[in-house]
Amino acid sequence: MGNIVLNLEMNKIMEMRNFYEKNILDKNIPGSVFAAKTSACMITAYKSGKVLFQGNDSEKEASRWGSASTSATSNKPASSSKAKSIAKGDLPNGIGLMSAIGSDEVGTGDFFGPITVVAAYVRKENIPLLKELGVRDSKDLNDDKIIVIAKVIKDIIPFSLMTLKNEKYNQVQQSGMSQGKMKAILHNQAILNVLDKISPEKPEAILIDQFVQASTYYQHLKSQKEIAKENVYFSTKAEGIHLAVAAASILARYAFIQYIDKLSDSAGFKIPKGAGAQVDVAAAKLIMSKGRDILPSFVKLHFANTDKAIALVNKKRN
């Protein structure tokens, strides 16, 4: 699916709004003037003057209003020039403005639900558009905003989602695999998937939101058949360094929210996030209604919350 971006004056955007009046959607997209959907194209106009066309007929529809200054589907390879000087933390100078793959995960500290890892590729020319769409550190966004933004960017940027469901998580954890190793394997595979999607184009950098030292990360991956190593960098708080990591975090959070909703449907009540006292109560309720054997498909069993939930059940039954 193609993506085209035009930069237009506001009077032109209002003309467009009138033109697409019958196609306008009742959607609250952050910073937008209007959103419309034709039979083969989605059009979103922003207050900044950017207009995004998405769909099979995006190029044809955009040509009604002007020539594209930016195309999110450009297949031109990213610049191969490398920054020779290294900034603090061993990151290339100017990495935030490079075409990069970012990788982040969600769910590692949550008792209920899976670990979701996303690697996402953001071309340098699309950085302003992602800012316009509201992409930033997902910790600054509530779930409603995460959902709105994710639904838009998932059709703009190449990405790969890896989901480690609770059943598999508990199986490999009980076999002795650490959570750190699980995450390293998931990050590596997601990055490889994105590299395959964008080939022969290559990113100028790959930035992983750091959860272990680089040496430990690669130690975790020593048994893997293929390991992404070229131009790979690690940093804590990486969401603030490159929008690719922020976008990956938003998409991972979106997938996690969707999965929690599915677990809630299966449980028959709303499943809480996190690992506080509220999840102990929810797990106890789950045991009472569906039996203890259901836990492995809902929770990370090795968390202390499991024993706390069982204690609550025993207290209620006694």
Side-chain angles (χ1 to χ4, degrees):
M1 183 172 71
N3 302 297
I4 302 292
V5 178
L6 300 183
N7 286 298
L8 302 174
E9 297 294 332
M10 189 53 63
N11 61 344
K12 195 72 170 179
I13 288 176
M14 297 312 294
E15 181 184 339
M16 290 178 68
R17 192 183 191 286
N18 292 333
F19 181 85
Y20 294 112
E21 186 176 4
K22 293 181 180 179
N23 305 102
I24 288 179
L25 303 175
D26 185 19
K27 293 179 69 175
N28 183 25
I29 297 176
S32 67
V33 177
F34 74 88
K37 188 172 184 179
T38 67
S39 58
C41 188
M42 174 77 183
I43 304 108
T44 310
Y46 295 90
K47 294 174 183 176
S48 66
K50 289 185 176 65
V51 184
L52 171 64
F53 296 81
Q54 299 169 271
N56 295 328
D57 284 351
S58 59
E59 188 171 353
K60 179 181 177 182
E61 199 65 33
S63 67
R64 291 176 182 269
W65 307 101
S67 58
S69 59
T70 303
S71 171
T73 54
S74 170
N75 289 319
K76 293 180 181 179
S79 171
S80 60
S81 62
K82 302 291 188 300
K84 293 183 179 179
S85 59
I86 301 298
K88 183 180 179 182
D90 292 334
L91 298 178
N93 285 328
I95 187 173
L97 299 177
M98 293 179 179
S99 294
I101 292 175
S103 187
D104 202 358
E105 83 281 334
V106 170
T108 56
D110 291 86
F111 182 48
F112 283 97
I115 293 177
T116 56
V117 173
V118 168
Y121 181 47
V122 173
R123 297 178 177 91
K124 62 178 73 174
E125 59 265 29
N126 284 341
I127 290 174
L129 173 61
L130 291 187
K131 287 182 179 178
E132 188 70 35
L133 294 172
V135 175
R136 59 184 187 274
D137 191 333
S138 65
K139 299 179 188 66
D140 296 333
L141 301 169
N142 60 32
D143 285 356
D144 289 340
K145 288 184 178 178
I146 290 281
I147 292 168
V148 169
I149 295 170
K151 284 182 176 180
V152 176
I153 67 173
K154 69 182 179 65
D155 294 326
I156 297 175
I157 58 176
F159 73 94
S160 174
L161 165 68
M162 305 295 295
T163 301
L164 182 58
K165 297 180 180 179
N166 296 100
E167 297 94 332
K168 185 65 175 178
Y169 176 95
N170 289 315
Q171 180 185 341
V172 296
Q173 191 278 327
Q174 288 166 6
S175 73
M177 185 181 294
S178 68
Q179 193 184 84
K181 184 171 183 177
M182 296 179 210
K183 290 194 287 185
I185 292 171
L186 292 168
H187 276 269
N188 182 63
Q189 190 56 57
I191 290 167
L192 291 173
N193 290 346
V194 175
L195 286 170
D196 185 58
K197 284 185 178 183
I198 67 174
S199 178
E201 185 176 353
K202 288 187 176 182
E204 295 174 276
I206 297 172
L207 181 60
I208 299 172
D209 193 50
Q210 188 168 5
F211 53 91
V212 290
Q213 292 298 313
S215 57
T216 304
Y217 175 84
Y218 289 117
Q219 180 67 21
H220 286 326
L221 297 176
K222 64 180 182 180
S223 63
Q224 300 300 298
K225 291 182 180 179
E226 188 177 0
I227 303 172
K229 289 185 176 181
E230 185 178 358
N231 295 328
V232 173
Y233 303 94
F234 302 83
S235 178
T236 57
K237 300 181 179 179
E239 291 183 23
I241 295 173
H242 200 291
L243 280 186
V245 183
S249 178
I250 287 170
L251 290 167
R253 187 72 183 172
Y254 175 54
F256 182 79
I257 291 167
Q258 288 183 305
Y259 203 96
I260 288 291
D261 287 344
K262 289 179 182 178
L263 288 182
S264 297
D265 290 341
S266 297
F269 58 89
K270 186 172 178 61
I271 295 293
K273 302 180 186 74
Q278 76 278 8
V279 303
D280 303 338
V281 175
K285 184 177 180 179
L286 187 65
I287 295 170
M288 295 287 286
S289 63
K290 296 185 179 294
R292 185 171 169 177
D293 290 343
I294 199 71
L295 282 182
S297 61
F298 277 79
V299 307
K300 300 174 182 72
L301 288 173
H302 67 106
F303 278 34
N305 303 92
T306 300
D307 290 337
K308 293 177 182 177
I310 292 170
L312 286 174
V313 171
N314 292 336
K315 186 177 179 180
K316 288 181 180 180
R317 286 175 176 169
N318 292 333

